[in-house]
Amino acid sequence: MAVKIRLKRIGKKHKPIYHIVVADSRSPRDGRFIEKIGTYNPNLDPPLTILKMKNSVSWLIKGAQTTNTVKSLFSKSGVLLKKHLLEGVKKGAFTTEESKNRFDAWYKKYRI
């Protein structure tokens, strides 16, 4: 079973809100899903993204593929960086404390 992390559309006409979900790639866009890991509201300025960081990273480590839009959202929120740092710790490139410090430094610089 191929697993994808993608957007599920909810909301009114012309006022979309999306759930970020983990779903089987064969299921329809607004159909069954395995787990809801966040929400995305593009109607606000700036757009609001709420994510469960641990769940997002764990699904990426398990091999779930992201759609282009979700990959962009993950990049902006730091999920992809967190996954990258955890893989570096697993390979022995640096310690857990150093990866936490690197992520905190990035968060302070790019997230207000």
Side-chain angles (χ1 to χ4, degrees):
M1 172 171 76
V3 177
K4 286 206 172 246
I5 301 175
R6 62 183 180 200
L7 298 177
K8 177 181 178 178
R9 190 180 196 277
I10 59 171
K12 298 179 186 179
K13 273 191 219 177
H14 307 291
K15 297 284 184 184
I17 298 174
Y18 299 93
H19 285 168
I20 301 169
V21 296
V22 178
D24 182 4
S25 63
R26 297 169 292 184
S27 65
R29 179 192 72 178
D30 297 337
R32 291 179 52 191
F33 61 90
I34 299 168
E35 182 181 1
K36 177 185 163 194
I37 57 174
T39 58
Y40 171 60
N41 186 352
N43 300 319
L44 302 176
D45 189 31
L48 177 66
T49 306
I50 301 170
L51 287 171
K52 296 177 186 172
M53 180 77 75
K54 287 184 181 181
N55 295 3
S56 303
V57 172
S58 76
W59 278 106
L60 287 174
I61 289 174
K62 290 176 188 174
Q65 298 296 309
T66 60
T67 60
N68 292 336
T69 307
V70 172
K71 187 174 183 178
S72 174
L73 293 172
F74 279 4
S75 178
K76 291 173 186 172
S77 63
V79 174
L80 295 179
L81 176 64
K82 187 81 160 175
K83 176 189 174 262
H84 177 74
L85 292 171
L86 289 176
E87 287 177 350
V89 169
K90 190 187 328 183
K91 292 179 180 179
F94 42 83
T95 64
T96 307
E97 187 63 33
E98 187 176 347
S99 75
K100 185 179 182 320
N101 291 338
R102 287 183 184 191
F103 183 76
D104 290 342
W106 175 86
Y107 195 81
K108 288 178 185 173
K109 185 174 182 180
Y110 293 106
R111 304 282 292 178
I112 298 173

